[in-house]
Amino acid sequence: MATKQRPFHLVVFGASGFTGQFVTEELQQVLERAAEKLGRPTLPSEVGIIICDISNPASLDEMAKQATVVLNCVGPYRFYGEPVVKACIENGTSCIDISGEPQFLELMYWKYHEKAAEKGVYIIGSSGFDSIPADMGVIYTRNKMNGTLTSVESFLTIQSGPEGLCIHDGTWKSAVYGLGNQSHLKKLRKEANLKPVPIVGPKLKRRWPGSYCKELNSYSIPFLGADVSVVKRTQRYLHENLEQSPVQYAAYVTVGGITSVIKLMFAGLFFLFFVKFGIGRQLLIKFPWLFSFGYFSKQGPTQKQMDATSFTMTFFGQGYSQGFDPDNNKPNIRICTQVKGPEAGYVATPIAMVQAALTLLNDASDLPKAGGVFTPGAAFSRTKLIDRLNKRGIEFSVISSSEV
């Protein structure tokens, strides 16, 4: 990473936005606790403000020149992310974002990885709830298995209080545009023409929508976020660059009983139909509360809703003990791990983003030797990020491990 001294170690881009405010608050809390431990005066309530605009490249350059790491909170990233990435690379500044948009994340890799490497800076996407719990959760599971991990299924469960849960419509917009432009992502991957990553052990079978998970006593549907894309990219990097055995991965979200499955499947089909058409996307974006059945709104969640909401991501992995041949045998080790944390969008995401930024600053010797565009797992697999997250309330633990 570039070591040139800058006026600011960390700059939150989009600090006045809905998510940016929570990231700024989390950063201030972390810095104040650090100051207390060092016996220094409490940090002032005011923070430095840099005025810049996505449509003004010169202003982005001025911001990047003053920072060591930019925390980019402005989405949808397909519209607003690339100018920030470009400005950071050109000015020798690392950048972290919380994008859950596979098309943007993968496009940034293909366009800017070599340029970032030349500059020695780190561009790390999906460093919020999308997709640090999943990506680092798979790495944690691999590290805790006494053998070779070959496949993992994750199940996300969201717990909410009496007032239910709500998500800001910025996330809704990203989903609408992302699913509405799936053809662009398919084209990008086809043009990349990557050779397949080797499959170790039996191929992981995908579950049908509405399948039952007996371990969690709940039905589940495929998780349509960025986790699968991010984890696969991480596993490719670890295999090709660190010669680690690749892990197959599938992601699901639990939905409770069969009635919930039926409702969600109808809602999903309705949503997928609307995003195919321009007028449908306009309606979805204009009336998020109506079309999401109240789960998304322009106001976002209340403080009471956030306080009463949490998440649990459960990982079921299987693999082989040392010396056991995967070519001629079935997996003989199973492991179950969990990542638990507070409300995902506006509590866990700021925690993950800030801790990722601090890891980037403090664990430089454990990062990939050259800069580039990375997933969280590719960048942080050898760092102390998981330890930092555990201390801040995003907890990684082993539930069970057994040899079959």
Side-chain angles (χ1 to χ4, degrees), residues 40-334:
R40 295 177 181 175
T42 305
L43 294 173
S45 58
E46 299 85 4
V47 295
I49 297 176
I50 302 171
I51 305 298
C52 53
D53 192 317
I54 287 290
S55 62
N56 184 348
S59 71
L60 294 178
D61 287 338
E62 284 302 310
M63 172 191 69
K65 288 175 183 177
Q66 298 182 64
T68 304
V69 180
V70 169
L71 285 70
N72 184 9
C73 302
V74 180
Y77 290 86
R78 68 172 53 248
F79 300 129
Y80 309 120
E82 185 171 353
V84 180
V85 170
K86 185 178 180 181
C88 284
I89 293 174
E90 289 179 351
N91 292 282
T93 303
S94 292
C95 180
I96 289 176
D97 70 49
I98 47 176
S99 171
E101 305 164 44
Q103 183 185 346
F104 167 79
L105 295 165
E106 295 180 29
L107 181 63
M108 291 304 97
Y109 173 82
W110 290 113
K111 290 186 71 172
Y112 294 104
H113 179 68
E114 291 184 359
K115 294 178 182 177
E118 290 172 4
K119 286 283 191 175
V121 299
Y122 295 85
I123 308 299
I124 305 172
S126 53
S127 293
F129 180 72
D130 287 321
S131 292
I132 278 183
D135 206 15
M136 299 306 295
V138 172
I139 289 173
Y140 176 83
T141 305
R142 181 202 67 195
N143 292 343
K144 293 299 180 181
M145 174 173 271
N146 187 22
T148 301
L149 181 68
T150 58
S151 65
V152 172
E153 291 180 309
S154 71
F155 292 83
L156 170 65
T157 302
I158 301 293
Q159 299 91 9
S160 60
E163 295 190 15
L165 58 88
C166 182
I167 306 172
H168 191 264
D169 76 328
T171 303
W172 175 258
K173 289 177 183 176
S174 296
V176 169
Y177 288 118
L179 291 172
N181 289 276
Q182 278 290 305
S183 59
H184 294 93
L185 179 57
K186 291 179 180 178
K187 182 181 178 182
L188 176 65
R189 289 173 175 171
K190 185 177 180 179
E191 290 174 351
N193 194 29
L194 293 172
K195 64 179 182 180
V197 174
I199 294 175
V200 180
K203 185 175 182 179
L204 180 62
K205 295 179 180 179
R206 297 299 186 263
R207 295 173 181 251
W208 286 97
S211 64
Y212 185 73
C213 177
K214 61 181 180 180
E215 293 89 350
L216 299 176
N217 192 29
S218 177
Y219 287 90
S220 66
I221 59 174
F223 181 61
L224 299 180
D227 288 354
V228 172
S229 166
V230 171
V231 171
K232 284 185 175 181
R233 288 173 57 214
T234 293
Q235 293 304 313
R236 174 179 291 278
Y237 171 86
L238 296 177
H239 173 67
E240 293 179 350
N241 294 273
L242 301 181
E243 298 182 350
Q244 295 182 5
S245 180
V247 179
Q248 302 172 73
Y249 177 68
Y252 305 92
V253 56
T254 62
V255 295
I258 191 65
T259 303
S260 298
V261 173
I262 295 171
K263 288 180 180 178
L264 283 168
M265 288 182 70
F266 274 108
L269 290 172
F270 178 80
F271 181 86
L272 291 172
F273 175 78
F274 264 64
V275 297
K276 289 182 178 180
F277 308 100
I279 189 169
R281 291 193 291 272
Q282 291 176 21
L283 288 170
L284 288 168
I285 289 168
K286 189 173 183 179
F287 304 106
W289 188 87
L290 175 65
F291 289 103
S292 69
F293 305 100
Y295 284 110
F296 291 83
S297 75
K298 296 182 181 295
Q299 294 74 35
T302 64
Q303 189 62 51
K304 283 186 177 180
Q305 286 176 317
M306 288 192 291
D307 290 342
T309 302
S310 61
F311 78 88
T312 301
M313 190 172 286
T314 306
F315 300 82
F316 296 103
Q318 62 180 14
Y320 297 85
S321 57
Q322 293 180 3
F324 213 70
D325 184 6
D327 293 330
N328 301 309
N329 297 284
K330 293 181 179 180
N332 70 325
I333 296 182
R334 300 189 188 282

